[in-house]
Amino acid sequence: MSLDLKVIGAGLGRTGTTSLKIALEILLKGPCFHFLEYGSHPELMDPWRSLIATMPLRSNPDTFRAVPSSEWETLMPGYVGCVDEPASFYWKPLSDVFPEALVVLSVRDTDSWWESMSSVEEQIKEELKRPDLISAKRRAFLDFVDAIYPDWRAESSESAEKSFFEAHNRRVLEHAQRNPSFDRRFLVWKASDGWEPLCNALDIPVPDQAFPYENKRAEYHGY
């Protein structure tokens, strides 16, 4: 069966993407790709590593080559949606290949995003200080992180990271403003919005259950 994505997440990590993943799986009744998927599907790391080697993360999306649906099928086999990094960096080629998919830009306050992101990075750096406690599976995952984010261990500049975060969001918003066909299937969403905007955009009834707020920084540090 060929890949048929219903939702493409354009928001960077730490913008409510875990909650969004779980919510979409409930609404779409199928799996939604997210960085966490590498834990249960480590076989997907090599295909993604190959893609990212030719189209590095954080590059201008206008420079990305066209990626055929068959290649996305290899990268996300059987998924009905994708959110979070690294897929969210490829929102533009994904939206070109899946022209009916809803594109969701998950957002949050820049300062709180930076606090959350830097907390995750510090947690992983602390973990790396005890290599004897890292399992082979976890080591393979951390090696993958190093491969796709080659500069992540360097000291982060708060101002530069915040500027990048805001520039990414602005680029997606400006693309929507310039492209009416894209804008018609585009949603800016924050976790506190809950079910209703997603359900309205997908034309799906609001579920009779609480929205799945997950992966809060106070409860979860790292992938």
Side-chain angles (χ1 to χ4, degrees), residues 10-187:
L12 297 181
R14 315 309 297 179
T15 58
T17 52
T18 302
S19 296
L20 182 57
K21 164 187 165 61
I22 296 170
L24 290 174
E25 289 179 338
I26 294 169
L27 295 176
L28 301 176
K29 304 185 188 315
C32 182
F33 192 77
H34 182 287
F35 205 94
L36 293 172
E37 292 296 293
Y38 296 119
S40 53
H41 294 285
E43 73 278 4
L44 297 179
M45 289 192 285
D46 280 346
W48 275 98
R49 194 191 312 251
S50 296
L51 175 79
I52 294 166
T54 63
M55 299 197 300
L57 303 181
R58 296 192 164 210
S59 300
N60 185 331
D62 290 333
T63 67
F64 290 150
R65 65 175 171 84
V67 181
S69 58
S70 59
E71 190 170 348
W72 291 121
E73 172 68 28
T74 300
L75 294 160
M76 299 182 285
Y79 288 88
V80 296
C82 61
V83 299
D84 199 63
E85 302 173 26
S88 58
F89 283 105
Y90 301 107
W91 60 270
K92 192 170 185 293
L94 278 164
S95 66
D96 290 340
V97 173
F98 301 100
E100 302 301 317
L102 173 68
V103 180
V104 180
L105 176 63
S106 51
V107 298
R108 72 184 292 179
D109 171 76
T110 300
D111 289 336
S112 67
W113 171 82
W114 167 249
E115 290 173 5
S116 181
M117 182 61 75
S118 58
S119 174
V120 169
E121 292 179 353
E122 287 306 313
Q123 181 74 8
I124 298 177
K125 288 177 181 177
E126 285 299 314
E127 179 184 5
L128 290 168
K129 292 178 181 179
R130 293 296 307 274
D132 54 307
L133 299 180
I134 300 175
S135 68
K137 180 180 179 180
R138 180 66 173 170
R139 171 55 60 190
F141 174 79
L142 293 173
D143 287 346
F144 174 69
V145 172
D146 282 338
I148 69 173
Y149 298 105
D151 300 323
W152 83 268
R153 296 197 196 204
E155 191 66 29
S156 298
S157 163
E158 178 177 347
S159 61
E161 290 301 302
K162 286 180 175 180
S163 293
F164 174 79
F165 175 71
E166 293 174 348
H168 172 88
N169 292 342
R170 185 167 56 251
R171 183 177 285 119
V172 183
L173 290 165
E174 290 174 352
H175 183 78
Q177 292 170 356
R178 294 193 305 268
N179 296 273
S181 62
F182 181 93
D183 191 46
R184 284 192 290 271
R185 58 188 177 106
F186 177 58
L187 173 67

